Structures are given as C-alpha cells and as structure tokens.
C-alpha cells in the first residue's frame, strides 16, 4: 500500500482496534525505581497499595514483566463508542508552513470529555465495579480527568466524588456542570470536608488550591470511607498502560501505509498521553528494532523534566501517597497560573523519568504565548480548536517542521493532539487581548522547593 496517496484521516476498523495494552516496562532493561512507603522507606507492597487503589489496578501498577495485558470485553465495548481515534495527515498545516515535512497527529478529543483521559477512566471504573466497590474519589485540575471519570462511573453505575482545584472550580463552571450531569459530586479543594484540607486551609487561607493538594483530599476521602478507592488520571504506570491504546492504534494505522515517524512529539503533564503514544515505538527502540526521536514538551512555568531533579518525592502535597522516583520540582511547588491546567503537576511518570534519564527521549520547555500562537495557527488551518495542553505539542511540531523547511529535509513528524479547548476560552481571550504573560520560575524558587524533597532513597 506504500504507493497509495495517504488519506487525510487514517481510520481503523473495529477489528483492528488493539485488544491488549502494551506494558513498556517489560522491555526496559533498567526498570523504573519501585514506589516506596514514606513511613518505612521500603518498597510498597500490594497489600499496602490495596488500601488506596483497586486490587486489579495495584497488580497492573506493580507488574513490570508482562508485555501484553488483555483489555476486558466491557472496556473494549466502551472504547468502540469513541474509538478508533483518527490519525490525521496535517496537509493544511504543512501547506501553511510551506514545509517539506510530513506532519501527522493522533486526535484524542473526539469524545465528550474532550481528551485522552477517558481511555484510562473507563478502565479504572471497570476494575472498581468488578471489585464490588461503591465508588471512587479523585482530584481534577483543569477538569478533563474529572469529566472523563464521571462519564466512566455513570456508565458502570459507580459513585464518583471529585475534588476540583479551587481556582478551576471557580473559573470553569461549565466543566463542573458536565461532571454533575454525569452524576458526580464536585467539591472545591482545599475543602473543610477532609483533615488534610482543613490543615492546608488553616495554613494558607487564600490558596487557589493545587493538584497535589486535591490528590491528598481525594485519597483521604477514599481511605476513610467503606467501599471507596482512589483513582488517578496520570503519572501512575497503570494509567500509562491504559493510554497505550493511543500508540497502538497509531502504529497500526501508520504500518498500513508504511509510514515511519522520524520524530514523535507529545505534551507532558504527568506523562500519560506521551507514554501511551510512544509506547510501541519505544518498545521497538528498546528492543533495538528501530530508532525514533522522541520529544516531551512541557510548560516553561512547570518544567519538571528540563529543570527538575531525579529523586524520590511525594506525589501529593499532603504526603499521603507512596514516594515515587521521578523528575520533580518538589511536591510543594506551586506553579504559576499557567492556562494549561493539565500540565501543572510537579512530577513526571516514573517510566518516562527513567527513559529520559537513560537518554532515550528528549525534553523541551515552551512558553505560554508561543504555545497559543501555535494553537491559533493550527486552529485556523486544521479546524480543530486545540486544548492549551495539546498546543504544547503543536508548538514543538511546528518548530520541527520549520527546521525541515530550512534544511530541505522531508522528515515525518507525529504528534499527539490530546484534546479540544472549548472550556479554555478565558485563556484564548487573554491571548487574543494581548494580556497573556510568560511566567518562568527562578532558580532560587526551584532550589527552595528542592530543599523540601524527602531525604529518603537518596
Ligand atoms: C490532562 C491532559 C494532558 C496532560 O496529561 P498527561 O498525563 O501528561 O497526558 C494533556 N492534554 C490534555 C487535553 C489533558 O486533558
């Protein structure tokens, strides 16, 4: 099929959808460091994790040897409602940039939650239901994860309690109402409904909240109520596992037309969409079968890979979750009010952190106004109004395509377009009004935050 003209959209049939997730850790010679119990400094056991997470998800979290894990029929059935996600050849963007590069993007925004997060939400809700639980608790920052989880919980008839970062709760009332429409209860965080929330509010009464703080509240709400567990939308290895449907579909679609990407780009908040997109390609790289340039793109305001340290840290401000070795800015780091809410997390997936540390992928940080400039350019020629998070990947893809224009190389660039930006119109308004700033933390600010890293595991 290699001589055929590549269509604008490469779709897969239902039969071609992946039936297994791919666990990239199985092909890593040096595995990510184990999660540690903050109390003892020892690797956490399945039993300890089972107090917080669902049993099957604990199994997936700790499994670093099984390469392929079957996707249960019930989850496949839900995936079929909104998958396959199209792989789009960005002919119009290529033309606008006047580049010889060939640009492709995998679009994950084709569902009501508006992002890739539904891929993991449905899996986590399924395993909670199968375990006979009453419900799940979680945090949400910008609101995409909470929306995805509320959709998944209503599908499986589970109770869903969402702790939403206060500033988003106030700025994004429509996201909140989508979640409530799907039956979730939404509480602004920090709140007086948990001990950790009360403590944070006493210390910082004017806080806008943060993801790390909302996580602490959600974990407390899960562990203090019978029949509840906590679920997390990114960072964890189980989430990266579920998100591999993105990469597996992309690989199948590209193989159909003999397309081999030279460069693979994704935005990186906690690392789940990037980890999912690159997984099968990284697998080939790890097994020595092929080589790809892989680029993680993060906001200059929250630069965990490019300016963070590789160390054990807490996943949450309340220090209740296990310690994870990752590139981190420190769990107390409060990023500035960047508009890409989904990228405002202090740490990075342990899998991606380890791959980055081994030199198997690159990272770059981009500034907010340049990101919105790329987003606008993209929207005007490709039609889709991208999420601010996704636009970080657009920015890097555009930069790489423009480099090709200079050198005359016709490289193939693949990037992940994780979602749509309809709930981010305040951000677009700030950009359109010329009122958007670029906040970059100083070395001194970062150093102060690194000083608070736990002394464990060093
Ligand atoms: C949450 C989110 C991200 C970032 O999360 P990752 O876990 O790093 O993938 C990126 N894009 C969108 C649209 C999101 O909602």
């Amino acid at each position: 099929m290699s001589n055929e003209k590549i269509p604008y959209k490469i779709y897969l049939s239902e039969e071609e959808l992946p039936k297994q997730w791919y666990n990239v850790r199985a092909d890593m010679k040096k595995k990510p460091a184990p999660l540690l119990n903050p109390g003892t400094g020892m690797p956490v056991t399945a039993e300890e994790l089972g107090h917080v997470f669902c049993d099957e998800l604990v199994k997936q979290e700790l499994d670093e040897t099984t390469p392929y894990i079957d996707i249960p029929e019930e989850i496949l059935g839900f995936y079929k409602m909104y998958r396959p996600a199209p792989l789009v050849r960005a002919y119009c963007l290529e033309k606008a940039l006047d580049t010889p590069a060939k640009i492709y993007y995998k679009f994950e925004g084709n569902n009501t939650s508006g992002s890739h997060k539904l891929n993991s939400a449905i899996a986590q809700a399924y395993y909670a239901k199968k375990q006979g639980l009453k419900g799940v608790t979680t945090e949400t920052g910008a609101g995409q994860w909470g929306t995805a989880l509320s959709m998944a919980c209503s599908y499986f008839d589970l109770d869903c309690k969402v702790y939403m970062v206060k500033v988003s709760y106030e700025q994004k009332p429509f996201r909140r109402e989508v979640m409530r429409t799907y039956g979730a209860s939404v509480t602004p965080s920090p709140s007086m409904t948990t001990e950790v929330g009360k403590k944070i509010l006493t210390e910082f009464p004017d806080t806008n909240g943060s993801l790390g703080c909302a996580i602490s509240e959600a974990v407390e709400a899960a562990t203090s109520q019978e029949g509840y567990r906590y679920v997390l939308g990114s960072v964890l290895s189980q989430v990266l596992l579920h998100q591999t449907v993105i990469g597996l579909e992309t690989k199948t679609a590209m193989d159909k037309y003999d397309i081999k990407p030279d460069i693979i780009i994704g935005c990186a908040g906690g690392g789940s969409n990037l980890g999912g997109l690159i997984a099968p390609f990284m697998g080939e790289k790890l097994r020595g079968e092929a080589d790809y340039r892989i680029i993680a793109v993060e906001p200059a305001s929250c630069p965990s890979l490019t300016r963070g340290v590789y160390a054990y840290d807490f996943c949450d401000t309340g220090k209740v979750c296990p310690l994870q070795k990752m590139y981190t800015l420190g769990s107390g780091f409060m990023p500035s009010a960047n508009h890409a809410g989904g990228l405002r997390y202090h740490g990075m997936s342990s899998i991606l952190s380890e791959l980055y540390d081994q030199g198997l992928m690159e990272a770059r940080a981009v500034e907010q106004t340049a990101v919105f400039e790329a987003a606008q350019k993209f929207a005007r020629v490709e039609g889709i109004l991208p999420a601010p998070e996704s636009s970080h990947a657009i920015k890097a893809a555009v930069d790489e395509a423009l480099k090709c224009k200079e050198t005359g190389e016709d490289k193939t660039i693949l990037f992940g377009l994780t979602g749509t930006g309809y709930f981010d119109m305040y951000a677009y308004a700030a950009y359109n009004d010329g009122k958007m700033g670029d906040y970059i933390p100083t070395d001194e600010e970062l150093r102060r935050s690194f000083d608070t890293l736990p002394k464990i595991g060093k």
Side-chain angles (χ1 to χ4, degrees), residues 115-117 144 234 267-273 342-343 387 389-390 418-419:
S115 84
H116 64 285
K117 293 204 169 67
Q144 289 96 320
S234 183
C267 63
S272 73
N273 86 84
L343 303 182
E389 293 87 351
S390 323
T418 50

Side-chain angles (χ1 to χ4, degrees), residues 360-376:
L360 291 162
M361 62 180 228
E362 306 166 27
R364 74 174 62 154
V366 291
E367 290 172 23
Q368 170 161 258
T369 45
V371 165
F372 275 81
E373 193 187 328
Q376 190 187 65

Side-chain angles (χ1 to χ4, degrees), residues 171-437:
Q171 281 180 359
K172 297 190 167 181
F174 293 152
R175 272 253 177 245
R176 190 176 77 208
E177 292 317 315
V178 178
M179 288 184 254
R180 297 202 324 150
T181 302
Y182 281 96
S185 71
V186 188
T187 308
S189 165
S191 75
M192 296 300 277
T193 66
T194 63
E195 293 309 315
V196 59
K198 281 180 207 160
K199 191 161 157 251
I200 293 170
L201 275 179
T202 315
E203 220 176 311
F204 309 101
D206 298 324
T207 179
N208 283 326
S210 71
L211 262 188
C213 163
I215 294 176
S216 306
E217 289 207 87
V219 171
E220 186 184 317
T223 50
S224 61
Q225 290 177 89
E226 182 68 30
Y228 282 79
R229 291 293 185 281
Y230 167 67
V231 294
L232 184 57
S234 183
V235 189
L236 295 176
S237 301
Q238 56 186 271
V239 184
L240 264 73
L241 177 75
H242 306 146
Q243 294 297 354
T244 60
V245 290
I246 304 173
L248 293 165
E249 278 183 11
T250 304
K251 185 86 177 50
T252 306
M254 288 197 139
D255 284 350
K256 270 184 150 181
Y257 289 89
D258 268 343
I259 306 160
K260 197 174 166 293
D262 297 296
I263 309 174
I264 307 172
I265 298 169
C267 63
S272 73
N273 86 84
L274 178 66
L277 174 68
I278 67 173
F281 301 98
M282 184 57 85
E284 289 189 336
K285 200 167 156 137
L286 287 164
R287 297 188 301 269
E289 297 163 7
D291 199 14
Y292 304 96
R293 240 186 103 195
I294 294 170
I295 307 174
V297 191
E298 56 186 15
S301 59
C302 194
S304 47
L305 285 171
T306 52
R307 293 176 69 198
V309 291
Y310 192 29
Y312 269 102
D313 195 8
F314 296 96
C315 294
D316 61 318
T317 320
K319 307 185 176 179
V320 287
C321 288
L323 294 169
Q324 173 164 298
K325 188 174 179 195
M326 58 185 172
Y327 275 85
T328 179
L329 298 168
S331 64
F333 182 74
M334 289 281 180
S336 67
N338 180 289
H339 289 291
L343 303 182
R344 296 178 69 215
Y345 184 68
H346 66 274
M348 186 58 61
S349 137
S350 63
I351 296 177
L352 291 188
S353 291
E354 182 54 36
L355 292 169
Y356 178 63
D357 200 56
Q358 291 179 26
L360 291 162
M361 62 180 228
E362 306 166 27
R364 74 174 62 154
V366 291
E367 290 172 23
Q368 170 161 258
T369 45
V371 165
F372 275 81
E373 193 187 328
Q376 190 187 65
K377 183 178 293 176
F378 180 86
R380 289 182 181 181
V381 294
E382 287 289 326
I384 296 169
L385 182 79
E389 293 87 351
S390 323
S391 305
H392 287 67
I394 298 177
K395 164 67 181 150
V398 165
D399 286 349
E400 290 301 318
L402 290 176
K403 267 187 220 159
C404 288
K405 184 177 173 179
E406 268 172 40
T407 60
E409 290 170 289
D410 63 344
K411 286 193 178 145
T412 299
I413 300 168
L414 163 68
F415 73 90
L417 189 70
T418 50
T420 47
Y422 306 124
F423 289 110
D424 299 282
M425 297 325 288
Y426 284 118
Y428 275 96
Y431 177 74
N432 291 333
D433 291 341
K435 287 184 182 150
M436 182 172 274

